[in-house]
Amino acid sequence: MTTTPLTVGDHLTDLVIEPISRTTLALFAGASGDHNPVHIDSDVAASAGLDDVFAHGMLSMAYLARLLTDNFGIDNVRSYRTRFASITPVHGQPTCRGVVREVSEVDGERLATLDLTVELSDGTTTMLGEAVISLD
């Protein structure tokens, strides 16, 4: 967990994820209950005009949440929201990033607002987000 004081502009240490494999997609489908075949069946993906299967959006959201909990613990996450920007293709390698946008005090609690992104190795941003973290 992060123990140094955060200031505006600080970057969290990137969370680099292994490339997304078909096994990861199958395991996440089972764990999440999202068995949409476009994530696990290449024939279905091709029939939808896609090159191949792609990761569940919630998988990227889970990785981004791991960035937060690895750095601050679950008890310090006050809010967390994301929006999908692009698909994560099978074999894509996500990197989760966080930058401190604001540090403030609300009702006696020090809070940091973070801008969050998930990017692939080719520079494609697949997810944008924001989190508010307690620094106390």
Side-chain angles (χ1 to χ4, degrees):
M1 295 208 332
T2 299
T3 57
T4 57
L6 291 177
T7 60
V8 173
D10 284 351
H11 291 249
L12 303 181
T13 300
D14 291 350
L15 174 64
V16 180
I17 306 297
E18 292 294 318
I20 303 295
S21 69
R22 294 178 195 284
T23 301
T24 298
L25 296 179
L27 291 171
F28 189 78
S32 67
D34 181 353
H35 297 279
N36 185 332
V38 76
H39 297 298
I40 50 179
D41 186 327
S42 297
D43 292 335
V44 171
S47 72
L50 301 167
D51 293 335
D52 205 340
V53 296
F54 60 93
H56 307 71
M58 295 301 286
L59 179 60
S60 293
M61 190 174 182
Y63 288 138
L64 202 49
R66 186 196 309 169
L67 176 73
L68 297 174
T69 58
D70 283 355
N71 278 278
F72 305 103
I74 188 79
D75 292 340
N76 290 316
V77 177
R78 296 294 178 261
S79 68
Y80 172 52
R81 64 182 179 179
T82 62
R83 73 178 173 86
F84 305 113
S86 184
I87 66 169
T88 300
V90 65
H91 308 302
Q93 183 171 22
T95 297
C96 302
R97 296 189 168 101
V99 178
V100 178
R101 179 182 355 127
E102 178 182 23
V103 176
S104 61
E105 186 170 319
V106 176
D107 297 328
E109 183 178 34
R110 292 180 327 113
L111 301 171
T113 302
L114 307 174
D115 291 322
L116 306 168
T117 59
V118 179
E119 297 177 13
L120 301 177
S121 56
D122 69 359
T124 301
T125 299
T126 61
M127 180 167 283
L128 299 165
E130 176 186 286
V132 176
I133 305 297
S134 174
L135 299 176
D136 293 331

